[in-house]
Amino acid sequence: MNPLPSPADVRAAAERLRGHAHRTPVATSRRVDGETGACVFFKCENLQRMGAFKFRGAFTALSRLADAQRRAGVVAYSSGNHAQAVALAARILDMPATIVMPHDAPRSKVAATLGYGARVVGYDRVTEDRERIGAALAAEHGLTLVPPYDHPDVIAGQGTAALELFEDVDGLDALFVCLGGGGLLAGSALAAEAAAPTCRLFGVEPAAGDDGQRSFRSGEIVHIPTPDTIADGAQTQHLGTLTFPIIRRRVTDIHTVTDAELVDAMRVFASTLKMVVEPTGCLAFAALRRLAPEFAGQRVGVLVSGGNVDLDRYATLLAR
Ligand SMILES: *Cc1c(COP(=O)(O)O)cnc(C)c1O
């Protein structure tokens, strides 16, 4: 098994990403501060290259491959943003990429992945196992599998978003982070160990897929069927064997939010912050909005994880 990544690995990933990833802006809003009673800092990874933090982990992992692995190419399985991230990182680093995507993946995400020059292989999310398909392609063609969250370089790369936030905003009392398989949350935990030892960390996942909360509270990784939620980037079935111990070591708690709360948060992002945020990217803010009274007067970070959503779907969700 891979060793757990360390806080130093997050700093090393930040060096690798310099000049390739954007240092995304931190947004604030007096109106949000007024409504929540907290002092809120949004880390805008919806403005990251390819529209989500996933570029950080994918580029970090691909940039560390040996020459022979680079020539053979990489394979990844993803419902969207990890696919685009691996496709873009592979194009920048001049490697062939094959992406395994569900037939019902958002159209814009499939189009973007193809646009970055990757080959796309489809599968049925309900009846087929994407991990098995990815492993079979890897074995058959000598490709290196780049998992979406349970990989030391991916976790370290994802942690650079929180590291930048800790560098840009002093004295955060708490940080809310969206949670799927836990790459972003585990990376943020490592960044906090390095740069914000007193900041409390909270993971937020969809109520329909509360495996992370159950795992966190029970101490065993809980597996669930694919959850039914509009947060398509967090439809994971379980935390990873690397992400889970890091999360357990450093995270304070894991909260869940409903799809209706996600839409409410999406509306605030659009109307108040003038930002398009995909449903999964609204998880962290949705939880803070509900829990705001507990954080009155505190400095609170919110990791806005991505902005990739088909505009017709976005309009339909907001019109509900
Ligand atoms: C992948 C993704 C997540 C969840 O990240 P994990 O590392 O799997 O926990 C959250 N938000 C967006 C936009 C994503 O693409």
Side-chain angles (χ1 to χ4, degrees):
M1 202 177 92
N2 279 312
L4 294 184
S6 71
D9 292 327
V10 180
R11 293 207 186 275
E15 288 303 319
R16 287 184 171 273
L17 285 165
R18 200 180 301 278
H20 295 289
H22 295 314
R23 186 176 189 102
T24 52
V26 177
T28 58
S29 158
R30 289 182 189 214
R31 179 141 171 208
V32 168
D33 288 356
E35 282 169 7
T36 56
C39 198
V40 184
F41 299 90
F42 295 97
K43 177 63 172 170
C44 299
E45 286 295 299
N46 55 316
L47 304 178
Q48 186 50 266
R49 291 186 75 173
M50 57 58 60
F53 72 91
K54 289 255 180 19
F55 178 71
R56 296 173 182 271
F59 186 90
T60 302
L62 266 58
S63 71
R64 296 201 61 200
L65 295 180
D67 286 347
Q69 291 174 299
R70 286 178 181 239
R71 276 194 297 278
V74 291
V75 59
Y77 46 82
S78 167
S79 58
N81 284 333
H82 179 62
Q84 279 165 261
V86 171
L88 174 58
R91 197 187 65 181
I92 293 170
L93 295 164
D94 202 19
M95 301 178 206
T98 302
I99 311 293
V100 182
M101 294 183 93
H103 296 304
D104 65 346
R107 279 198 309 281
S108 59
K109 292 186 179 181
V110 180
T113 304
L114 290 169
Y116 291 131
R119 184 167 78 103
V120 171
V121 175
Y123 78 99
D124 186 319
R125 197 200 279 276
V126 180
T127 60
E128 290 182 291
D129 179 354
R130 67 182 190 172
E131 299 186 21
R132 195 167 305 149
I133 296 171
L137 283 166
E140 198 178 328
H141 303 288
L143 311 179
T144 301
L145 181 68
V146 187
Y149 54 87
D150 213 24
H151 185 287
D153 298 332
V154 172
I155 294 168
Q158 317 302 34
T160 61
L163 185 64
E164 289 174 5
L165 179 63
F166 294 137
E167 287 169 355
D168 290 349
V169 180
D170 280 338
L172 280 182
D173 297 299
L175 174 64
F176 283 76
V177 179
C178 312
L179 172 61
L184 184 61
L185 183 56
S188 301
L190 295 176
E193 286 179 14
T198 59
C199 180
R200 292 194 297 157
L201 241 62
F202 298 93
V204 187
E205 64 186 349
D210 66 348
D211 60 292
Q213 185 181 64
R214 284 158 55 196
S215 304
F216 185 79
R217 293 182 182 176
S218 72
E220 306 273 345
I221 297 177
V222 172
H223 290 241
I224 58 167
T226 300
D228 183 10
T229 167
I230 60 171
D232 52 81
Q235 284 182 310
T236 40
Q237 294 174 261
H238 55 86
L239 297 179
T241 53
L242 301 179
T243 59
F244 180 59
I246 298 171
I247 289 169
R248 248 195 141 225
R249 182 171 82 204
R250 181 60 181 78
V251 170
T252 300
D253 202 2
I254 294 180
H255 297 289
T256 66
V257 295
T258 65
D259 281 2
E261 288 173 310
L262 289 178
V263 172
D264 287 345
M266 202 160 80
R267 194 169 279 123
V268 176
F269 276 125
S271 64
T272 304
L273 287 135
K274 320 302 171 193
M275 294 204 301
V276 175
V277 181
E278 63 182 282
T280 315
C282 297
L283 284 164
F285 186 37
L288 172 61
R289 292 184 77 225
R290 167 143 47 79
L291 301 167
E294 291 176 37
F295 295 88
Q298 298 192 16
R299 291 163 71 77
V300 182
V302 170
L303 223 157
V304 184
S305 56
N308 291 327
V309 52
D310 281 335
L311 280 187
D312 51 359
R313 177 160 178 264
Y314 184 67
T316 306
L317 288 169
L318 288 182
R320 261 188 204 169

